[in-house]
Amino acid sequence: MSTRHPVFNQQVLIDTTPLPDNIPKVREIGATSAPLLSASYFIGARCKAYNDDYMLCKTQAHGKGELECLKEGRKVTRCAASV
């Protein structure tokens, strides 16, 4: 048997650092995967331009696009919420 005892972390870490002002504010969609999957065809058709901009940004960032492409990602979320 192992002599190491399991350690469980039950805390939720929340980053309270506010986003910069140049990143547009957007609410989360708040839907589970089932309604998003059923609406994905319509979301994809309506938000294609925003999604293409986001994917281009991620491709050009070479894996470091999480912060650099946050503005484009927010636009995609805002578009999906409008469908």
Side-chain angles (χ1 to χ4, degrees):
M1 295 286 272
S2 175
T3 59
R4 185 174 154 218
H5 298 289
V7 177
F8 298 101
N9 185 0
Q10 300 295 329
Q11 295 177 338
V12 176
L13 301 176
I14 299 173
D15 187 6
T16 58
T17 307
L19 293 174
D21 290 334
N22 63 343
I23 298 173
K25 308 289 187 258
V26 64
R27 289 184 4 185
E28 293 297 323
I29 294 177
T32 61
S33 61
L36 287 176
L37 186 60
S38 64
S40 64
Y41 177 79
F42 303 104
I43 292 172
R46 184 168 179 183
C47 304
K48 183 175 180 1
Y50 296 113
N51 195 32
D52 288 346
D53 286 343
Y54 176 71
M55 294 308 291
L56 179 64
C57 180
K58 295 257 315 178
T59 302
Q60 292 175 345
H62 300 293
K64 301 176 187 171
E66 288 80 15
L67 294 176
E68 296 173 5
C69 301
L70 196 56
K71 187 174 184 179
E72 287 83 3
R74 292 284 173 120
K75 290 179 183 177
V76 172
T77 304
R78 184 179 290 155
C79 179
S82 70
V83 174

